Amino acid sequence: MRHNKKFNHLSRTKAHRDALLANMTTSLIMHKRIFTTLAKAKALRVYAEPLINRAKNDNMANRRLVFSYLQNKEAIKELFGVVAEKIAERPGGYTRILKTGNRLGDNAKTCFIELVDFNENMLKDKKEAKAKTTRRSRKKAAPAATEAAENTTTAAAEATAE
């Protein structure tokens, strides 16, 4: 039976897998985006998101717990400093995985995983898209807008004639 065997072992021993995920989490925190295979990115998301969530509450216990996983002082400073400021309002989902195709050598599915609040291009697009969206039908609004435009042009023409 396969009880409690939902996570991907990545063809590694536990010690090797823990070291791999800790190093990848450190790189993700320091660089905000890393390129890797899809399987490793999905395993990294499960490993890194609880650690990132700990950074919301900056106290000695959380710093020590995260340090026990990552073993990197610079990553801890970055996580509890810069990253914690940006994720303070977010309830979860701190990472995003975007697929980039297959690798040439072994045809492995590749992707990049990034911290969501650090991609300025997507943040700009999201703000612009929110301003443009409406829940009303545009078919009804279009004739009313053209009538209003015609009324203003006729009123302006009458004002210039006087």
Side-chain angles (χ1 to χ4, degrees):
M1 286 185 265
R2 294 193 67 248
H3 296 304
N4 199 19
K5 294 184 183 288
K6 290 186 177 180
F7 62 93
N8 191 345
H9 293 283
L10 301 173
S11 299
R12 288 165 169 80
T13 61
K14 175 150 178 37
H16 188 186
R17 189 171 55 249
D18 287 343
L20 171 84
L21 293 173
N23 287 332
M24 288 178 70
T25 303
T26 300
S27 296
L28 179 65
I29 291 168
M30 298 303 287
H31 301 292
K32 312 302 187 267
R33 175 187 292 175
I34 56 173
F35 289 85
T36 183
T37 62
L38 186 61
K40 286 180 188 175
K42 288 180 178 180
L44 176 62
R45 180 175 52 192
V46 173
Y47 186 87
E49 293 224 2
L51 298 179
I52 296 170
N53 197 28
R54 290 258 177 201
K56 285 183 176 181
N57 186 8
D58 187 6
N59 58 22
M60 188 60 70
N62 283 342
R63 281 182 177 262
R64 285 181 175 171
L65 191 128
V66 173
F67 183 76
S68 72
Y69 283 92
L70 299 183
Q71 298 292 316
N72 189 325
K73 288 182 184 180
E74 289 79 24
I76 301 299
K77 287 178 190 173
E78 184 80 12
L79 177 62
F80 281 88
V82 177
V83 176
E85 290 175 9
K86 289 221 178 186
I87 63 160
E89 303 299 320
R90 184 175 289 276
Y94 310 113
T95 57
R96 174 187 298 126
I97 295 174
L98 294 169
K99 297 176 184 174
T100 58
N102 293 348
R103 195 160 50 198
L104 288 176
D106 58 356
N107 208 30
K109 294 179 182 177
T110 59
C111 66
F112 63 85
I113 182 168
E114 66 182 2
L115 295 176
V116 171
D117 292 323
F118 287 90
N119 190 340
E120 288 81 16
N121 295 331
M122 287 199 165
L123 291 176
K124 280 194 297 189
D125 294 343
K126 186 176 178 182
K127 289 178 185 174
E128 291 172 4
K130 260 191 178 176
K132 293 179 183 177
T133 59
T134 180
R135 294 180 67 169
R136 294 188 307 268
S137 174
R138 293 185 186 271
K139 292 178 184 176
K140 294 178 185 175
T146 56
E147 291 173 5
E150 291 173 358
N151 291 340
T152 57
T153 55
T154 55
E158 290 173 0
T160 56
E162 294 176 0

